Amino acid sequence: MYIRHGIPEEMRIEAITWAFEYFKYVTPKDYFFAILKQETNWDISAILLNEEDKIMGLYLLGDKQLDSLTLNEKFIKLKGVEGVLLAVSEDIRGEGWGNKLKDYPKTLEFDYIWGQQLKSLNNLEDWLKRRELIAETKSVYITAEIF
C-alpha cells in the first residue's frame, strides 16, 4: 500500500465514484460530483493505492483559504490548504492509513489545513483529535490545524 502525491486526470472520475460510496447517504450524487470537481486541486491531493493500484483511500485537497473576516484572525497571514474530502476503505480502517493521509498535507508547503465536516456524519470528535473547532453553521463544523 502506498500514498501517491497527485491524482492523474485518468483516475479522477474513478476516485470521485469510489468516494461517493462513503457519502451517498448524506448528499445527492450530482451535487457530490460537482463540488469535488470544482473544489479539488488534483495536483496536490493524495490517493492511497494497494499493490494492484486499486483505490483504498483519498485525501482531496483544495485551494480555498479561511475567510479571515468571519473566522479566527490567527490564520490571516498563513497559507492554508482545504481538506475537501477524506475517505479510507472499510477494509483497512484501524490500520493507521487514515492518519497517514491526514499527515500528508504537512509534507506540502502550507501553514495549516482546514475543512468542513458535515454534522450528519457525526465525526467531529475524530477531527478534534488534531484540529480545533473554529466555526459552525447549521449543517457543518469548520475545523483547522496549524502545522
Side-chain angles (χ1 to χ4, degrees):
M1 200 105 49
Y2 65 100
I3 296 173
R4 178 181 176 159
H5 172 87
I7 301 175
E9 191 169 342
E10 65 272 10
M11 292 184 79
R12 294 174 186 175
I13 296 300
E14 177 187 0
I16 295 172
T17 302
W18 179 88
F20 181 69
E21 286 303 307
Y22 297 97
F23 293 88
K24 65 184 176 186
Y25 302 105
V26 295
T27 187
K29 186 174 184 175
D30 291 345
Y31 177 77
F32 184 81
F33 273 67
I35 288 296
L36 292 185
K37 286 178 183 178
Q38 176 183 328
E39 301 297 327
T40 302
N41 178 331
W42 299 98
D43 295 330
I44 62 171
S45 293
I47 188 166
L48 176 64
L49 300 166
N50 68 11
E51 295 75 23
E52 293 83 34
D53 286 335
K54 178 183 172 195
I55 299 172
M56 300 301 288
L58 295 171
Y59 202 178
L60 303 182
L61 303 174
D63 298 317
K64 284 189 180 172
Q65 303 294 298
L66 285 172
D67 177 359
S68 60
L69 297 175
T70 59
L71 301 175
N72 196 314
E73 287 188 15
K74 67 183 170 183
F75 297 98
I76 291 174
K77 294 182 180 178
L78 302 177
K79 181 181 177 188
V81 63
E82 179 183 8
V84 176
L85 176 138
L86 175 72
V88 175
S89 171
E90 292 175 355
D91 297 339
I92 59 167
R93 288 197 185 151
E95 296 180 17
W97 289 104
N99 286 331
K100 288 178 182 176
L101 285 170
K102 287 178 187 174
D103 286 339
Y104 165 78
K106 294 177 183 178
T107 68
L108 306 174
E109 295 184 9
F110 296 101
D111 301 312
Y112 70 90
I113 187 164
W114 73 280
Q116 300 178 59
Q117 290 75 44
L118 293 171
K119 289 183 175 181
S120 59
L121 291 175
N122 295 313
N123 65 354
L124 178 63
E125 289 195 24
D126 293 334
W127 287 103
L128 292 180
K129 292 175 186 174
R130 294 173 170 257
R131 297 182 182 180
E132 64 180 293
L133 178 64
I134 57 173
E136 68 180 282
T137 69
K138 182 179 176 184
S139 59
V140 299
Y141 297 108
I142 300 171
T143 61
E145 173 188 12
I146 296 177
F147 301 142

